[in-house]
Amino acid sequence: MNTAAFKHLLRHYRSHKIDIPLRVKSGDQIKIATALGALDCLYWQALGNGLTNLAKGINRTITHSYRFHQVRLPGHPWEIKGTIETRPDNSEPGTQIDIEDLIRGAA
């Protein structure tokens, strides 16, 4: 395992994990897409460096964030576990977000 790569990716992952709730709360889909793209990039870098557990954690964060917005990464389905994903409160993206739930919701 490349310790320098792990520390570097972990630092960026933690930063983006904190950043994504702010982007979701803004309701700006471009900002949300940018934040998801950054996490997706970190996911692939982690895999490329053999950091499978870190990549899994990043993927869980991405997938968990889908509960709070309608933006999806290419190749990520709208359906999760065989059911169509809906917001639990039927609200529009960017409203009534439990930021604490989003921050703690993965990895």
Side-chain angles (χ1 to χ4, degrees), residues 27-43:
D28 185 333
Q29 292 195 1
I30 300 293
K31 290 181 180 180
I32 295 168
T34 301
L36 287 174
L39 285 170
D40 191 46
C41 183
L42 291 171
Y43 167 80

Side-chain angles (χ1 to χ4, degrees), residues 1-105:
M1 170 170 67
N2 185 338
T3 304
F6 174 75
K7 288 179 181 178
H8 178 80
L9 293 172
L10 183 62
R11 184 179 68 221
H12 284 288
Y13 166 55
R14 287 177 175 165
S15 172
H16 287 291
K17 185 176 178 183
I18 291 169
D19 185 53
I20 197 157
L22 301 173
R23 303 297 171 220
V24 170
K25 189 170 184 171
S26 78
D28 185 333
Q29 292 195 1
I30 300 293
K31 290 181 180 180
I32 295 168
T34 301
L36 287 174
L39 285 170
D40 191 46
C41 183
L42 291 171
Y43 167 80
W44 288 106
Q45 288 180 59
L47 278 182
N49 281 286
L51 303 169
T52 308
N53 286 337
L54 178 59
K56 287 179 182 179
I58 294 168
N59 188 57
R60 283 191 301 269
T61 297
I62 292 168
T63 303
H64 181 77
S65 79
Y66 290 163
R67 293 177 44 204
F68 302 97
H69 58 80
Q70 299 298 313
V71 180
R72 297 294 182 270
L73 290 169
H76 284 222
W78 281 94
E79 294 185 12
I80 296 179
K81 296 182 182 175
T83 62
I84 296 176
E85 181 188 32
T86 58
R87 293 176 55 80
D89 58 3
N90 294 321
S91 65
E92 291 298 315
T95 60
Q96 301 177 5
I97 297 170
D98 183 348
I99 298 298
E100 292 298 320
D101 186 38
L102 181 56
I103 289 172
R104 112 182 129 253

